[in-house]
Amino acid sequence: MPGWLSRIGGRSQRVDSLASGFVAHRSAYLVLDQRRAPERCAALVAQPGWHDYLTLFAGTPLSPLLEASPWLVELKLGSQAWQAATALCQEQRIGWAFQPAQDARLEDLADHLRRLFILDDPHGGQSLVNVQDPTAWTALLAAGSDTAYAQLVGPLGQVVTPTPLPHWQAWQQVDEVGEDASEAMAPPLTHELEQALKESSRAWWLSAATDMPLQELPPEWLERLGRLEAAGIHQAHHLQRLLPRVQQEPNPETDWWAQATTMELLQAAMPAWKKVDALEASA
């Protein structure tokens, strides 16, 4: 299993409710990718329990993309606005939630998150990271070192993310980071983090397709799915047809994945649908 998946269980625990671990009488916050559901997100503004929000690209090098900016939203826990927003996170997985250990200014929380959208990458440049996407955010939280994890969580306190399954993950809180360390809250995008981000969508699809938690996925399943994608097979309905091959029990004597015919089909220059037909029919 890729290391980042195995660390999910060590850094978080499964919870059935998004509000698990949150203090009832204090505000909670959501990071929402509002561009993926603009009408439903806009409707939140008028609902009871809505306090305030900020656009996270404002005042950053990403400000030209302000209309597509994710939001940082402050809500009353358990309110109508909260219920609607958390439904968005669970049904469409367009965001995640947190609650600081102490009362915090919305602007300070936004400043912390703004540092995380552009990270120094291992190639000597900088890369945009979709922090608002729970798929990417989960990979970042799981894949980094303990120091990187603390830098990511920083002042956010209790972080809770959706999963590909109906439950949620509540992540370990970290010791508060002092003001002197505020400029160091953006970890570099290491090779490990970069690889986890590349694998994250694949892992989420497999988890949902097999009803298996991310941290329990067998490593060979992810490797096989990666081989299909490298062969140009990306569409969900095509991958679903080949899922039995992905889940096939390892057998050194009759390893379908090691057969010359399989490898030839994967490398063949043909449309994806025709390749899937041939792979599905091959012995």
Side-chain angles (χ1 to χ4, degrees):
M1 180 189 305
W4 70 275
L5 287 175
S6 64
R7 283 196 290 273
I8 291 176
R11 288 181 174 168
S12 66
Q13 61 180 349
R14 172 176 174 161
V15 293
D16 293 328
S17 167
L18 175 55
S20 297
F22 287 175
V23 179
H25 66 274
R26 294 190 15 248
S27 293
Y29 301 83
L30 284 91
V31 177
L32 290 178
D33 188 1
Q34 58 81 29
R35 66 186 171 85
R36 290 175 53 197
E39 293 182 359
R40 290 184 67 180
C41 286
L44 296 173
V45 179
Q47 295 188 19
W50 174 277
H51 290 331
D52 202 357
Y53 83 108
L54 292 172
T55 52
L56 288 172
F57 287 172
T60 76
L62 298 170
S63 57
L65 304 174
L66 202 58
E67 290 187 1
S69 171
W71 290 355
L72 173 60
V73 178
E74 181 181 359
L75 300 170
K76 180 181 178 182
L77 195 67
S79 67
Q80 183 177 329
W82 168 263
Q83 298 295 339
T86 57
L88 277 172
C89 291
Q90 188 164 37
E91 295 167 9
Q92 298 189 26
R93 300 189 181 96
I94 66 169
W96 48 273
F98 68 92
Q99 186 182 57
Q102 299 178 355
D103 290 340
R105 293 176 62 244
L106 187 64
E107 190 67 46
D108 291 339
L109 297 170
D111 285 344
H112 169 73
L113 292 165
R114 285 166 176 155
R115 296 186 185 100
L116 306 178
F117 284 103
I118 299 178
L119 300 180
D120 294 335
D121 63 36
H123 313 291
Q126 292 185 315
S127 293
L128 173 65
V129 180
N130 292 320
V131 173
Q132 72 277 16
D133 181 352
T135 307
W137 181 239
T138 295
L140 289 176
L141 291 177
S145 65
D146 290 344
T147 298
Y149 179 81
Q151 291 172 326
L152 289 166
V153 175
L156 303 182
Q158 179 66 73
V159 173
V160 181
T161 58
T163 73
L165 305 179
H167 68 267
W168 304 76
Q169 292 294 128
W171 295 81
Q172 292 177 359
Q173 300 187 51
V174 300
D175 294 334
E176 291 185 51
V177 181
E179 292 183 6
D180 293 342
S182 61
E183 294 302 322
M185 285 183 182
L189 189 64
T190 62
H191 286 290
E192 291 76 14
L193 287 171
E194 191 175 56
Q195 185 63 29
L197 289 171
K198 291 178 180 178
E199 294 173 344
S200 60
S201 294
R202 190 185 311 157
W204 276 60
W205 184 87
L206 264 178
S207 175
T210 62
D211 199 32
M212 183 175 290
L214 288 167
Q215 57 268 38
E216 297 179 13
L217 291 171
E220 61 270 16
W221 291 8
L222 284 170
E223 188 274 334
R224 291 167 178 173
L225 187 62
R227 290 179 64 182
L228 294 178
E229 292 181 351
I233 302 170
H234 301 283
Q235 295 187 40
H237 66 282
H238 286 158
L239 296 173
Q240 190 70 45
R241 287 173 56 189
L242 295 173
L243 186 58
R245 296 295 193 184
V246 171
Q247 295 178 282
Q248 207 165 48
E249 288 293 329
N251 187 333
E253 295 182 1
T254 59
D255 186 357
W256 180 84
W257 290 90
Q259 293 176 9
T261 302
T262 302
M263 291 186 281
E264 289 173 3
L265 288 172
L266 288 173
Q267 298 169 6
M270 63 176 70
W273 66 267
K274 185 176 289 188
K275 191 176 293 190
V276 171
D277 286 346
L279 287 167
E280 196 174 29
S282 63

Coordinates of all heavy atoms in Angstrom, one line a residue, residues 54-67 69-70 107 110-118 183:
L54 N -15.2 34.4 3.4 CA -14.1 35.1 2.6 C -13.7 34.2 1.4 O -13.8 33.0 1.4 CB -12.9 35.2 3.5 CG -13.0 36.2 4.7 CD1 -11.7 36.1 5.5 CD2 -13.2 37.6 4.2
T55 N -13.3 34.9 0.3 CA -12.8 34.2 -0.8 C -11.3 34.0 -0.6 O -10.6 35.0 -0.4 CB -13.1 35.0 -2.1 OG1 -12.6 36.4 -1.9 CG2 -14.6 35.0 -2.4
L56 N -10.9 32.8 -0.7 CA -9.5 32.5 -0.3 C -8.5 32.9 -1.3 O -7.3 33.0 -1.0 CB -9.4 31.0 0.0 CG -10.1 30.5 1.2 CD1 -10.1 29.0 1.3 CD2 -9.4 31.2 2.5
F57 N -8.8 33.2 -2.6 CA -7.8 33.7 -3.5 C -7.6 35.2 -3.4 O -6.7 35.7 -4.0 CB -8.2 33.3 -5.0 CG -8.1 31.9 -5.3 CD1 -8.6 31.4 -6.5 CD2 -7.5 31.0 -4.4 CE1 -8.5 30.0 -6.9 CE2 -7.4 29.6 -4.8 CZ -7.8 29.2 -6.0
A58 N -8.5 35.9 -2.7 CA -8.3 37.3 -2.6 C -7.0 37.7 -1.9 O -6.6 37.1 -0.9 CB -9.5 37.9 -1.8
G59 N -6.3 38.7 -2.5 CA -5.1 39.1 -1.9 C -3.9 38.2 -2.1 O -2.9 38.3 -1.4
T60 N -4.0 37.2 -3.0 CA -3.0 36.3 -3.3 C -2.6 36.3 -4.8 O -3.3 37.0 -5.6 CB -3.4 34.8 -3.0 OG1 -4.3 34.4 -4.0 CG2 -4.1 34.8 -1.6
P61 N -1.5 35.7 -5.2 CA -1.2 35.7 -6.7 C -2.3 35.0 -7.5 O -2.3 35.2 -8.7 CB 0.1 34.8 -6.7 CG 0.7 35.0 -5.4 CD -0.4 35.1 -4.4
L62 N -3.3 34.4 -6.9 CA -4.4 33.7 -7.6 C -5.6 34.6 -7.7 O -6.6 34.2 -8.2 CB -4.8 32.4 -6.9 CG -3.7 31.3 -6.8 CD1 -4.1 30.2 -5.8 CD2 -3.4 30.8 -8.2
S63 N -5.5 35.9 -7.3 CA -6.6 36.8 -7.3 C -7.2 37.0 -8.7 O -8.4 37.2 -8.8 CB -6.2 38.1 -6.7 OG -5.1 38.7 -7.4
P64 N -6.5 36.8 -9.8 CA -7.2 36.9 -11.1 C -8.2 35.8 -11.3 O -9.1 35.9 -12.2 CB -6.0 36.7 -12.1 CG -4.8 37.2 -11.4 CD -5.0 36.8 -10.0
L65 N -8.1 34.7 -10.5 CA -9.1 33.6 -10.6 C -10.2 33.8 -9.5 O -10.8 32.8 -9.1 CB -8.4 32.3 -10.4 CG -7.2 32.0 -11.4 CD1 -6.5 30.7 -11.1 CD2 -7.7 32.0 -12.8
L66 N -10.5 35.0 -9.1 CA -11.3 35.2 -7.9 C -12.7 34.6 -8.1 O -13.3 34.1 -7.1 CB -11.5 36.7 -7.7 CG -11.9 37.1 -6.2 CD1 -10.9 36.6 -5.2 CD2 -12.0 38.6 -6.1
E67 N -13.3 34.6 -9.3 CA -14.6 34.0 -9.5 C -14.6 32.5 -9.2 O -15.6 32.0 -8.8 CB -15.1 34.3 -10.9 CG -15.5 35.8 -11.1 CD -16.1 36.0 -12.4 OE1 -16.3 35.0 -13.2 OE2 -16.4 37.2 -12.8
S69 N -12.6 31.2 -7.0 CA -12.0 31.0 -5.7 C -12.8 30.1 -4.7 O -14.0 30.3 -4.6 CB -11.7 32.3 -5.0 OG -11.3 32.2 -3.7
P70 N -12.2 29.2 -4.0 CA -12.9 28.5 -2.9 C -13.2 29.5 -1.8 O -12.6 30.6 -1.7 CB -11.9 27.5 -2.4 CG -10.6 28.0 -2.9 CD -10.8 28.7 -4.1
E107 N -10.2 36.1 9.2 CA -9.2 36.6 8.4 C -7.9 35.8 8.7 O -7.1 35.5 7.8 CB -8.9 38.1 8.5 CG -8.0 38.7 7.5 CD -8.5 38.6 6.1 OE1 -9.7 39.0 5.9 OE2 -7.7 38.2 5.2
A110 N -8.1 32.4 7.2 CA -8.0 32.5 5.8 C -6.5 32.7 5.4 O -6.0 32.1 4.4 CB -8.8 33.7 5.2
D111 N -5.8 33.5 6.1 CA -4.4 33.7 5.8 C -3.6 32.4 5.9 O -2.7 32.2 5.1 CB -3.8 34.8 6.8 CG -4.2 36.2 6.4 OD1 -4.7 36.4 5.3 OD2 -4.1 37.1 7.3
H112 N -3.9 31.6 6.9 CA -3.2 30.3 7.0 C -3.5 29.5 5.7 O -2.5 28.9 5.1 CB -3.6 29.6 8.2 CG -3.2 28.2 8.3 ND1 -1.9 27.8 8.5 CD2 -3.9 27.0 8.1 CE1 -1.8 26.5 8.4 NE2 -2.9 26.0 8.2
L113 N -4.7 29.4 5.4 CA -5.1 28.5 4.2 C -4.5 29.1 2.9 O -4.1 28.3 2.0 CB -6.6 28.4 4.1 CG -7.3 27.6 5.2 CD1 -8.8 27.9 5.2 CD2 -7.0 26.1 5.0
R114 N -4.4 30.4 2.8 CA -3.9 31.0 1.6 C -2.5 30.7 1.3 O -2.0 30.6 0.1 CB -4.1 32.6 1.7 CG -5.5 33.0 1.5 CD -5.7 34.5 1.9 NE -7.1 34.9 1.6 CZ -7.7 35.9 2.2 NH1 -7.1 36.5 3.2 NH2 -9.0 36.2 1.9
R115 N -1.7 30.4 2.3 CA -0.3 30.0 2.2 C -0.1 28.6 1.5 O 0.9 28.3 1.1 CB 0.4 30.0 3.5 CG 0.5 31.4 4.2 CD 1.4 31.3 5.4 NE 1.3 32.5 6.2 CZ 0.6 32.8 7.2 NH1 -0.2 31.8 7.7 NH2 0.6 34.0 7.8
L116 N -1.2 27.9 1.5 CA -1.1 26.4 1.2 C -1.5 26.2 -0.3 O -1.3 25.1 -0.8 CB -2.0 25.6 2.1 CG -1.7 25.7 3.6 CD1 -2.7 24.9 4.4 CD2 -0.3 25.4 3.9
F117 N -2.0 27.1 -1.0 CA -2.5 26.9 -2.4 C -1.3 26.8 -3.4 O -1.4 26.2 -4.4 CB -3.4 28.0 -2.8 CG -4.8 27.8 -2.2 CD1 -5.2 28.6 -1.2 CD2 -5.7 26.9 -2.7 CE1 -6.5 28.5 -0.6 CE2 -6.9 26.7 -2.1 CZ -7.3 27.5 -1.1
I118 N -0.2 27.5 -3.1 CA 1.0 27.5 -4.0 C 2.2 27.0 -3.1 O 2.6 27.7 -2.2 CB 1.2 28.8 -4.6 CG1 0.0 29.2 -5.5 CG2 2.5 28.7 -5.5 CD1 0.2 30.6 -6.2
E183 N 5.0 32.2 9.4 CA 5.5 32.2 8.0 C 6.0 30.9 7.5 O 6.3 30.7 6.4 CB 6.6 33.3 7.9 CG 6.1 34.7 8.1 CD 5.0 35.1 7.1 OE1 5.1 34.7 5.9 OE2 4.1 35.8 7.5

